[in-house]
Amino acid sequence: MILRIGRNGQKEEGMPAGEGVRIAIRSARSADSERCAEIFLHGRRQAFSWQPADRFGLDDYYDCVREDSVLVAEVDGTGAGAGTVVGFVSLDPKAGVIHNLFIDPEWHKRGIGSALLREALALLRGGPHPVELACAARNAAARAFYERNGWTPVDATSSQADTLVRYRIGGYNTS
């Protein structure tokens, strides 16, 4: 999938090829891991600002995606920044769960997260389980993003670490 981002940094439907920046979404390769770990670390520190920053480390990424399929969004083409990974989504197709979605903060608000969600859902379509994800209850920005993208809160569970809101999306397995 190719997403075009105009010169103003916003997603532009029907924009002619060659203008702005193009983002390609593809399966992650082992060479992407270091960049994804950096995005994950910085994204978690930003998203979970109520937690001490030293609670998170680069190795957390590898632990969190060990059993997952990972898709990345990268700058497409041959110009400046081409090949740079700017976000990722990790999912478990067998369980129908999206585990992580993180975008480099410099690339927020450009449609990349929504595009990664769509591609993840395409992989999960027709699976044996309802498609779900969980989000920290205190992460208002992420919750608003998921709800804008059609996800519905189902329930909340509390643990020592945080309260998580579980989301489902319609139009996929609803068993």
Side-chain angles (χ1 to χ4, degrees):
M1 176 195 175
I2 301 290
L3 172 71
R4 292 190 180 107
I5 299 173
R7 291 187 181 129
N8 65 357
Q10 298 300 311
K11 177 179 74 167
E12 295 185 11
E13 299 298 330
M15 186 175 69
E19 290 189 26
V21 176
R22 294 173 6 140
I23 302 294
I25 297 177
R26 60 168 173 77
S27 294
R29 300 186 282 256
S30 59
D32 300 321
S33 295
E34 188 175 324
R35 176 68 178 136
C36 288
E38 291 171 0
I39 292 169
F40 190 60
L41 173 63
H42 297 298
R44 289 178 77 202
R45 285 181 174 166
Q46 182 178 32
F48 303 103
S49 59
W50 60 90
Q51 297 286 350
D54 63 356
R55 179 172 187 256
F56 307 112
L58 281 172
D59 289 340
D60 295 347
Y61 169 78
Y62 303 98
D63 294 336
C64 289
V65 303
R66 181 173 299 133
E67 303 293 324
D68 287 356
S69 297
V70 178
L71 300 175
V72 297
E74 74 175 354
V75 178
D76 191 39
T78 58
T84 301
V85 171
V86 296
F88 74 91
V89 61
S90 72
L91 57 135
D92 180 346
K94 291 178 185 170
V97 176
I98 294 175
H99 285 140
N100 297 287
L101 174 64
F102 286 91
I103 310 301
D104 181 319
E106 293 183 25
W107 290 85
H108 281 190
K109 308 266 187 221
R110 299 183 193 196
I112 298 167
S114 296
L116 281 166
L117 268 182
R118 282 191 303 275
E119 290 297 306
L121 287 170
L123 291 176
L124 297 172
R125 184 175 286 130
H129 303 285
V131 179
E132 296 183 343
L133 60 81
C135 182
R138 289 197 250 181
N139 191 343
R143 292 187 60 203
F145 166 79
Y146 292 126
E147 290 171 20
R148 274 193 317 273
N149 278 276
W151 293 80
T152 304
V154 177
D155 58 25
T157 58
S158 294
S159 69
Q160 289 179 349
D162 211 340
T163 299
L164 295 176
V165 177
R166 188 169 51 119
Y167 283 86
R168 285 191 180 158
I169 191 160
Y172 294 84
N173 183 320
T174 56
S175 60

